[in-house]
Amino acid sequence: METILVLTGLPLIFALFTFFARKQRAYGIIIRLAAIAIIPVTVFCIVAHYQNIFTIDLSSYTAIKPIMLVIDVLIAAYIIYKGIKHKSYLVSIFATAQIVILAWFELSEGHSTHSLVSLYVDKLSLIMIAIIGVIGSLICVYAVEYMRKYQRHHPEVKDRSSMFFTVLLVFLTAMFGLVISNDMVFILFFWEITSLCSFLLIGYSETTEAIKNAFSAITVNVFGGLCFTVGIV
């Protein structure tokens, strides 16, 4: 199970490096190194653990859910701000309702309730891990050349490739967390991160059409998160 936890955190580690990269050559190297690290570890996890089921109970780590709640609040605040700024008030309403309900639940009842198994890894989880680790890494590598050509053909678009690849890697970490989580609050937490990542990726060019599409996606995702939150309560 330790190997799977390491795999889950690997993209996040490389994301820290891409965040500070400012040249195409730099983040290109980082992304390729990330793929070289993630793919073999993914394959090792599949081969080594395919015949076993792993579970972890994190309920004794009482600081985890408060930290997750703080991150959820920050994500919601960002979405609310963006919704108001771009006059997409529906997404701001959904995000506000969700975070109010989630905060109330966590501060009143949620802190005393938990799943007996926080993380659960079986064969289905490993199949999903294989898709994320192998296909996801290859997509990141492909995106390096794609983004280089995109920026060359669209000089009017501000080059924020380092942000783009940082978000891609965070997306991988969130997807890993999503498929191994067995606690509903954990699943919701990683869902929120994937929703935010999707919003940032779709709106990358910051054109009118891109922003419109990004808000269409985030509105659906946040509404789904709101329904998920109500379901948990």
Side-chain angles (χ1 to χ4, degrees), residues 43 65 113 118 141 145 157 174 188 193 209:
V43 174
K65 286 191 176 180
T113 62
S118 304
V141 172
E145 186 64 18
V157 176
L188 177 63
I193 295 177
E209 182 180 5

Side-chain angles (χ1 to χ4, degrees), residues 68-112:
M68 291 167 58
L69 178 60
V70 170
I71 295 174
D72 279 328
V73 169
L74 293 175
I75 292 174
Y78 177 80
I79 294 173
I80 293 168
Y81 164 74
K82 284 293 186 178
I84 295 174
K85 179 180 179 181
H86 293 279
K87 298 181 179 180
S88 183
Y89 300 116
L90 188 60
V91 71
S92 297
I93 293 171
F94 287 159
T96 301
Q98 179 188 354
I99 200 61
V100 168
I101 294 172
L102 181 62
W104 167 79
F105 174 72
E106 282 297 307
L107 296 175
S108 60
E109 300 291 338
H111 67 278
S112 60

Side-chain angles (χ1 to χ4, degrees), residues 62-191:
T62 56
I64 291 179
K65 286 191 176 180
I67 292 173
M68 291 167 58
L69 178 60
V70 170
I71 295 174
D72 279 328
V73 169
L74 293 175
I75 292 174
Y78 177 80
I79 294 173
I80 293 168
Y81 164 74
K82 284 293 186 178
I84 295 174
K85 179 180 179 181
H86 293 279
K87 298 181 179 180
S88 183
Y89 300 116
L90 188 60
V91 71
S92 297
I93 293 171
F94 287 159
T96 301
Q98 179 188 354
I99 200 61
V100 168
I101 294 172
L102 181 62
W104 167 79
F105 174 72
E106 282 297 307
L107 296 175
S108 60
E109 300 291 338
H111 67 278
S112 60
T113 62
H114 63 271
S115 171
L116 294 178
V117 177
S118 304
L119 305 179
Y120 184 94
V121 180
D122 58 6
K123 291 181 180 180
L124 178 59
S125 302
L126 290 173
I127 291 173
M128 300 305 295
I129 286 172
I131 295 172
I132 298 165
V134 177
I135 305 301
S137 296
L138 293 177
I139 289 173
C140 290
V141 172
Y142 173 81
V144 172
E145 186 64 18
Y146 177 89
M147 291 302 293
R148 186 182 68 81
K149 292 181 179 178
Y150 176 83
Q151 292 296 160
R152 188 174 68 227
H153 288 95
H154 296 276
E156 75 281 2
V157 176
K158 182 181 179 181
D159 190 348
R160 299 186 297 137
S161 297
S162 60
M163 181 279 290
F164 182 88
F165 288 106
T166 299
V167 173
L168 269 185
L169 291 170
V170 172
F171 199 107
L172 291 185
T173 290
M175 288 300 297
F176 279 133
L178 191 60
V179 300
I180 67 173
S181 294
N182 192 60
D183 187 300
M184 286 293 187
V185 175
F186 281 42
I187 295 174
L188 177 63
F189 173 72
F190 289 116
W191 165 274

